[in-house]
C-alpha cells in the first residue's frame, strides 16, 4: 500500500490523481490533502478518501470547512504552514505536487526535505528553484518523478539507453489554439479564445501558458533540471495532435518516443505507481484514435516566449525565476482583461531586460528575485 499526499487536490491534476487512486483502492491510500478555497469539492474528497489532515488557503476557509465537517476525524490546517504540514506528514511515501505556480515551491521543498518521493506537476518549482530543489532531493536520495506528460515520456524513453548515448531530447508541443493565427491578429484574441485549448483540458493558468507557448519554455527548463541536459541538447517540435508526448534521439540515430492519447491520468498513473505499472480504464488505442501524426519546427517569431525561455536557461541564476514571476503576474492581468494577449510576453521580456541576474543557490535569493519580478511586472502593467 503506497500512502500519498496531494498538494492541490481540488485542481485539475489533483482531481485526476484521486480518480486514478480510486481505481486502485487496494494499492494507494490518501494520507493528506492541501487545497485552496473550493471546500465543496474538498468535503466530497474528505468523505471518500478520509485523509488524516487537510489544509486550505486561509483561516476563514478553514473555519467554514470546520463548521461543515466538524465531527469528522480529519484535522484541518490552513495557509503556507498547513500546506507544508501536508507535504511533510509522517507516513506518506509520496507527495503529488500539483499546486499552481510559485505557491507550490515551499511545500514541494518541504516534501523534499522530509525525504518524500515527489510526483511533480508543479513545474514552476523547478523553473524558479531548480538548483535548490534538486540539491534537496539529492541529499535525501528520494525520487523526483515527472507528471508533466512530456517529461513522463522523456523519463520512459531515457530508460532505453545510457545518458551519455543521448544526442537530443525532443519535446513536443501542440502549438495551442493560436498555432495558425496570423501574428497581427494575436493582439486582439479574447480570454475565452485563449482558454480554448485544442487537445488538452487543463487549469486556466497552464492553458494560457500553452497558448503563449511559455508552458513549453518552462518545460525546457524543467527538462534540464529533471534529466541534467544542457539547453543546446533540448529542442522543441510542434506536433498538433498531442499523441507523441516527447522523444529521445540517441547517437546511433534511434529515436524513442512515448505515445498515448492526451489524458493526464496516464502520466499520473505512471508517476504514482513507479517503478510498477497499473492498469487504467483508458479506451484502447486504434488507428482512428491516433490519426495522422504531423511534426513541424517552431516559429520563434510567432512564439517569442520560447526564445525567452532558452535565453533564461542559458543565463541561469535568478533569470528563470524572474521569467516565471513576471509571467504569473502578466497571465493574471490578461485573465482579468487588464492587458492584451501579446502583452503577456512583452511584459515578461521587459522585466527580464531590467533584471540583474544573481546566483540562485539559496531559497532567499530565489524568493527575492521572484518578488522583484512580480513588483516590476505589476508596475509595468499599471503604467
Ligand atoms: Mg506538459
Amino acid at each position: 500500500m503506497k500512502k500519498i499526499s496531494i498538494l492541490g487536490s481540488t485542481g485539475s491534476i489533483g482531481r485526476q490523481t484521486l480518480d486514478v487512486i480510486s481505481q486502485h483502492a487496494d494499492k494507494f491510500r490518501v494520507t493528506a490533502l492541501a487545497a485552496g478555497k473550493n471546500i465543496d469539492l474538498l468535503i466530497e474528497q474528505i468523505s471518500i478518501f478520509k485523509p488524516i489532515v487537510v489544509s486550505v488557503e486561509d483561516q476563514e476557509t478553514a473555519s467554514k470547512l470546520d463548521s461543515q465537517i466538524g465531527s469528522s476525524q480529519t484535522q484541518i490546517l490552513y495557509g503556507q504552514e498547513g500546506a507544508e504540514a501536508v507535504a511533510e506528514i509522517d507516513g506518506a511515501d509520496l507527495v503529488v505536487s500539483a499546486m499552481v505556480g510559485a505557491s507550490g515551491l515551499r511545500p514541494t521543498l518541504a516534501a523534499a526535505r522530509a525525504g518524500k518521493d515527489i510526483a511533480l506537476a508543479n513545474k514552476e518549482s523547478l523553473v524558479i528553484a531548480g538548483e535548490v530543489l534538486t540539491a534537496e532531493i539529492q541529499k535525501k536520495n528520494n525520487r523526483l518523478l515527472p507528471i508533466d506528460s512530456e517529461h513522463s515520456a522523456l523519463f520512459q524513453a531515457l530508460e532505453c539507453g545510457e545518458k551519455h548515448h543521448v544526442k537530443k531530447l525532443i519535446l513536443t508541443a501542440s502549438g495551442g489554439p493560436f498555432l495558425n493565427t496570423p501574428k497581427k491578429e494575436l493582439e486582439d484574441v479574447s480570454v475565452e479564445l485563449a482558454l480554448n485549448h485544442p487537445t488538452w483540458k487543463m487549469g486556466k493558468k497552464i492553458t494560457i501558458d500553452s497558448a503563449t507557448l511559455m508552458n513549453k519554455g518552462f518545460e525546457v527548463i524543467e527538462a534540464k533540471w529533471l534529466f541534467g541536459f544542457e539547453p543546446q541538447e533540448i529542442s522543441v517540435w510542434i506536433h498538433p495532435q498531442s499523441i507523441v508526448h516527447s522523444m529521445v534521439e540517441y547517437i546511433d540515430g534511434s529515436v524513442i518516443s512515448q505515445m498515448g492519447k492526451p489524458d493526464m491520468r496516464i502520466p499520473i498513473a505512471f508517476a504514482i505507481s513507479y517503478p510498477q505499472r497499473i492498469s487504467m480504464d483508458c479506451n484502447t488505442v486504434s488507428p482512428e484514435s491516433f490519426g495522422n501524426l504531423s511534426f513541424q519546427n517552431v516559429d520563434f517569431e510567432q512564439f517569442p516566449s520560447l526564445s525567452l525561455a532558452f535565453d533564461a536557461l542559458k543565463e541561469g541564476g535568478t533569470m528563470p525565476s524572474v521569467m516565471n514571476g513576471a509571467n504569473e503576474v502578466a497571465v493574471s492581468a490578461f485573465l482579468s482583461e487588464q492587458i492584451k494577449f501579446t502583452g503577456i510576453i512583452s511584459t515578461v521580456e521587459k522585466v527580464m531586460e531590467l533584471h540583474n541576474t544573481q546566483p540562485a543557490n539559496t531559497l532567499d535569493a530565489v524568493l527575492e528575485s521572484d518578488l522583484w519580478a512580480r513588483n516590476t511586472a505589476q508596475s509595468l502593467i499599471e503604467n
Side-chain angles (χ1 to χ4, degrees), residues 367-380:
L367 293 177
E368 198 180 303
S369 68
D370 174 71
L371 184 64
W372 176 86
R374 284 164 199 275
N375 291 338
T376 308
Q378 199 60 52
S379 63
L380 284 171

Side-chain angles (χ1 to χ4, degrees), residues 41-194:
L41 180 55
L42 184 59
I43 289 168
E44 218 176 279
Q45 295 177 345
I46 291 168
S47 76
I48 298 170
F49 297 98
K50 304 190 169 45
I52 300 166
V53 173
V54 296
S55 176
V56 291
E57 192 162 303
D58 49 38
Q59 192 170 13
E60 195 192 335
T61 311
S63 311
K64 253 193 238 166
L65 179 61
D66 187 48
S67 68
Q68 294 191 47
I69 63 153
S71 62
S72 120
Q73 297 291 305
T74 301
Q75 187 190 355
I76 301 168
L77 304 173
Y78 62 87
Q80 189 76 49
E81 279 172 27
E84 287 180 34
V86 166
E88 297 164 344
I89 191 166
D90 271 351
D93 309 299
L94 177 120
V95 174
V96 173
S97 165
M99 289 167 71
V100 175
S103 61
L105 174 59
R106 275 177 187 275
T108 306
L109 265 174
R113 288 189 183 126
K116 310 293 184 193
D117 284 343
I118 296 170
L120 187 77
N122 176 245
K123 66 192 80 181
E124 290 90 341
S125 291
L126 279 179
V127 173
I128 301 166
E131 191 175 342
V132 176
L133 183 58
T134 52
E136 287 296 340
I137 284 163
Q138 276 159 15
K139 249 189 247 170
K140 298 276 178 183
N141 207 17
N142 40 355
R143 288 190 179 117
L144 180 59
L145 297 152
I147 283 181
D148 213 346
S149 59
E150 294 78 0
H151 304 76
S152 179
L154 292 172
F155 186 98
Q156 294 176 63
L158 284 166
E159 292 196 327
C160 297
E162 303 279 338
K163 189 182 171 194
H164 66 277
H165 290 151
V166 171
K167 190 167 169 192
K168 215 159 195 133
L169 305 184
I170 302 162
L171 285 150
T172 55
S174 72
F178 305 131
L179 177 60
N180 298 312
T181 305
K183 197 171 180 233
K184 58 181 189 316
E185 288 174 25
L186 282 179
E187 197 166 324
D188 295 315
V189 300
S190 64
V191 169
E192 193 189 0
L193 219 53

Side-chain angles (χ1 to χ4, degrees), residues 121 123 147-152 171-172 200 202 206 210 215-216 219 222 245-246 264:
K123 66 192 80 181
I147 283 181
D148 213 346
S149 59
E150 294 78 0
H151 304 76
S152 179
L171 285 150
T172 55
W200 292 100
M202 307 174 287
I206 188 172
S210 298
N215 179 58
K216 206 52 54 180
E219 289 181 354
E222 184 185 8
H245 296 306
S246 278
M264 284 309 294

